[in-house]
Amino acid sequence: MNDKQNNYFLSQVLIETYAQLGVEFAFVSPGSRNTPLMLALSDQKKIEVYNVVDERSSGYMALGAAKMSLSDFSSMNKPSLLITTSGTAVSNLFPSITEAHMSSVPMIILTADRPKHLINTGANQTINQNNIFKGYVSHFIDVSELKNFNQKSISKLAIDSYEKSTYNKGPVHINIPFDLPLHIQDRDKIKNSSYELSKLNLNKVAPEKIDIPDFKKFSKPLIICTDNHSLVPVLLSESYNIPLFMECLGARYWEKRENIISNYEFILSHSSVEPDLILRFGSKPISNALNKFIDERKNITYLIIEKSFNDDAENIIHCNESSFFKEFIKLKFQYDSSWLNSLLTHQHKIENFLKHFFKKPKPYEGYIINQLISMLPNDGNINLMIGNSSPIRDIDKFTFNEQKYINRVFANRGVSGIDGLISTSIGLSIGYDPYNRYENATRKRNNNRRNILILGDISFFHDVSALINKNHVPSNLTIIILNNNGGHIFDRLEGLKNEKDYSQYWLTPLNLDIKHIAKAFQCDYMKINYKNLSKISFSDQGIKIIEIIVNSDNQQEVNDLLDKEIKKLFI
């Protein structure tokens, strides 16, 4: 074969192999050097292809679609394909790849490149792409280093990358130097033979041998569940009388469960909580108070996780949640309920107080967040994405365990940046939800599924360019913006607000009219305040923007009042 046949043959084998492996989505951005890959995608029907103008946004959309595929069943975890041309197009992927790596989300990145002989020659749109994401991908290969250029070796490359991405739950990078010519018309003459992927073992997982301590010797256990969607922590809690601190990214909004404690930040601030055993499920918590609580008790804390990553836990039990539960129930005992009841008493006091406190509308972000969650339909068709900075902290602190049947709550907590939130949410709305029976069975999107993003104004402006893809990437998404004109997360840093240059260097009021932005991107728009939240509808199709005006001036005053009143509950 000549160069242009080789370019297409390589691309065709890669794409067809990924399609057979079960990859469902590819996010691409226009370019000339990635033309062979684009041709291969256009010549197949199994993988849905989304053409995204901006590579940075494309990366986050791929992240969102892959996030949606994650479940307790590893066979369902499907990486997204992310394809770019050469040069800065590749560099623009760095933020999303960093987030995917740090939050263990599978992605396969195919970057087109110039041939090696053009590197460092002044050739146009040429940079050194060799392992450019080093440290943030679990595997890298440059296709030019393939020893055998044939269908078997190319297909094996695709299979290996798929395995490493799904097993390690992270991004994998394949760099592909393409020489000219890039376009080929008589592609039907290039055929590859049928390759029996079914004969390959794609689930090389060794049988788990679990060694757990004798948990019967403890009397005051505590479960902390963060971004883990499994119901195992809930079942453990209910079966053994164990109090459960449940973060907003866990199963807090699925069913009402008696043992779930959601207002733990207030409890830790105003009472002495001294467990003799902590069982952790999920990543590090959102709450600084809860992180400090765990750090001071590392010796009695056990992290239950299949593969430990980016965590300083001293005691790790390497297994999945279900296997841990099977071993735990062999112990055949139950803890005394007095420890559980003491913490539940605190939870009920705080919850009742906050419900009474929020009964009347208040110009307070905690109130707005609390009401938004309460207003969500409980029909099992909601997926929620929470922006970093203030929104996720307030949702974690001011909401309760409710029977809302929210499928899942998402956030980009790997690096906790404010970038790419709209793009990630669009990707989430595209992906198939394994917890939605219809989507899991048919691999088709449920048009009744509603995707909701709650974020601040600065986060919105940071990724507003994602909306230019509205017509290329159809999405069902409601964006709720808490607009305090400048982002006031740094108000929470003790003493910083008193700095004479605080407003100039820490706040970023843009004074832009979001209504005009919505009109420019042809999105439905609504502007409300804390008094008329009931006007919000969650049943709309397409992209809708809801702006909620927030006055930041009195936030700290209300925080101090709340803290003072809740402190009285513990006297």
Side-chain angles (χ1 to χ4, degrees), residues 271-323:
S271 70
S272 176
V273 179
E274 290 300 336
D276 55 8
L277 168 67
I278 297 174
L279 300 176
R280 268 187 61 205
F281 293 86
S283 307
K284 287 291 187 73
I286 297 164
S287 164
N288 289 332
L290 189 52
N291 271 309
K292 182 182 178 183
F293 178 79
I294 293 170
D295 286 342
E296 292 172 349
R297 295 163 179 81
K298 284 185 180 179
N299 62 318
I300 62 167
T301 300
Y302 291 81
L303 174 63
I304 294 86
I305 192 169
E306 281 188 274
K307 296 185 68 179
S308 57
F309 171 74
N310 194 34
D311 203 295
D312 59 352
E314 294 179 0
N315 306 303
I316 301 176
I317 300 174
H318 291 283
C319 67
N320 63 36
E321 300 85 358
S322 298
S323 299

Side-chain angles (χ1 to χ4, degrees), residues 375 528-537:
M375 289 164 53
I528 58 176
N529 60 35
Y530 70 96
K531 293 180 180 178
N532 52 10
L533 297 174
S534 59
K535 289 184 178 181
I536 296 176
S537 169

Side-chain angles (χ1 to χ4, degrees), residues 136-155:
Y136 294 96
V137 291
S138 59
H139 183 63
F140 168 78
I141 188 167
D142 192 294
V143 171
S144 63
E145 296 174 2
L146 270 180
K147 292 181 179 179
N148 299 307
F149 190 86
N150 55 46
Q151 181 176 341
K152 187 174 181 179
S153 64
I154 297 169
S155 199

Side-chain angles (χ1 to χ4, degrees), residues 11 60 220 268 276-277 299 369 464 490:
S11 302
Y60 277 109
K220 297 166 70 177
L268 294 176
D276 55 8
L277 168 67
N299 62 318
I369 287 288
V464 71
F490 304 119

Side-chain angles (χ1 to χ4, degrees), residues 197-221:
L197 292 182
S198 58
K199 294 180 180 178
L200 299 168
N201 178 16
L202 297 176
N203 295 301
K204 301 172 184 176
V205 181
E208 288 182 338
K209 184 179 179 181
I210 306 168
D211 183 23
I212 66 173
D214 181 10
F215 290 125
K216 287 189 286 188
K217 66 182 181 181
F218 300 102
S219 60
K220 297 166 70 177

Side-chain angles (χ1 to χ4, degrees), residues 21-79:
L21 288 167
V23 171
E24 293 174 318
F25 305 104
F27 295 85
V28 303
S29 295
S32 60
R33 195 59 53 163
N34 59 349
T35 292
L37 290 165
M38 305 291 275
L39 291 172
L41 281 170
S42 69
D43 289 342
Q44 59 81 47
K45 302 298 181 187
K46 290 183 179 179
I47 299 175
E48 291 183 33
V49 184
Y50 292 94
N51 188 7
V52 183
V53 175
D54 169 22
E55 287 86 0
R56 182 200 57 81
S57 185
S58 182
Y60 277 109
M61 288 185 195
L63 172 77
K67 269 178 179 283
M68 182 59 77
S69 83
L70 295 176
S71 73
D72 301 330
F73 313 102
S74 58
S75 61
M76 293 182 181
N77 300 335
K78 296 182 184 295

